[in-house]
Amino acid sequence: MNERDRVPSRRRILAVGASGVTGLLLAGQPGFAQQAIAPTPACHDGDEPTLAETEGPFFKPRSPQRSDLREAGIEGRAVELSGYVLTRSCRRVAGALVDLWHADNAGNYDNTGFRLRGHVFTDDEGRFSFRTIIPGLYPGRTRHYHVKIQAPGERSVLTTQFYFPDERRNRTDELFRRELVMQTARANDTLLARFDVVL
Ligand code: FE
C-alpha cells in the first residue's frame, strides 16, 4: 500500500473520530456514551481495510474470553476500549473475534499467565468493548495495544496495534502509524478509547 492510498482511509478515520469524541464528551457514562455514538457515519465508500502490523514477540494464543482485563493487583488508569468491526462495505460484523494483549502499567507483558490478555466476540451490532488499563511504556516502543481480529468463518486474521494520541514517542517509534491512533475522551477516572476496525 502506498502513501497516496492511505489518505482516504485516514481522512475517514479522523472524520469519524471527531463525531465520536463529541458523543463521548456529551454522554458521560462510559457504556452509554459509546453506545450512543453513531457508528462510522462516513463509512460509505468501500474504504480501505485497517492497516496490519507485526504481532511482536509477546502474543500468546488461547487467551481467556473476557471483556474485563482488570484484576487484583493490576494498577493503572482505567480504559474502556471499544469500537465496531466492519467490512469494507461498512457492514457491521457480528461474532468477530477480537483478541487483545498489552503491557502492564510498568511496561511488562505476562508471558507465563494471561494477565492483560483476553478476547471477546462482537455483539449483534458488530461492537466490541474491553475494560482494561493504559499500558506502560517499554524500551523502543510508544504506548500501544496489540489486537487480532477475525471475522466468523474466515481464516484470515488481522493483526495490528492501536496507538494513543499525543504520545511523545509516537514520533520516534518506527511501527507507529497515525491511521491506527484511537479516538479518546475522558469520563471521570476512565479513559474512553475507540477504534473501528475495517476488515
Ligand atoms: Fe508490545
Side-chain angles (χ1 to χ4, degrees), residues 109 138 141 144 146:
Y109 287 83
Y138 60 91
R141 295 302 320 275
H144 61 279
H146 292 272

Side-chain angles (χ1 to χ4, degrees), residues 62-66 69 99 114 117-120:
R62 292 180 289 281
S63 71
Q65 183 176 348
R66 57 180 174 180
L69 306 191
D99 195 3
F114 286 93
R117 297 172 186 270
H119 72 269
V120 296

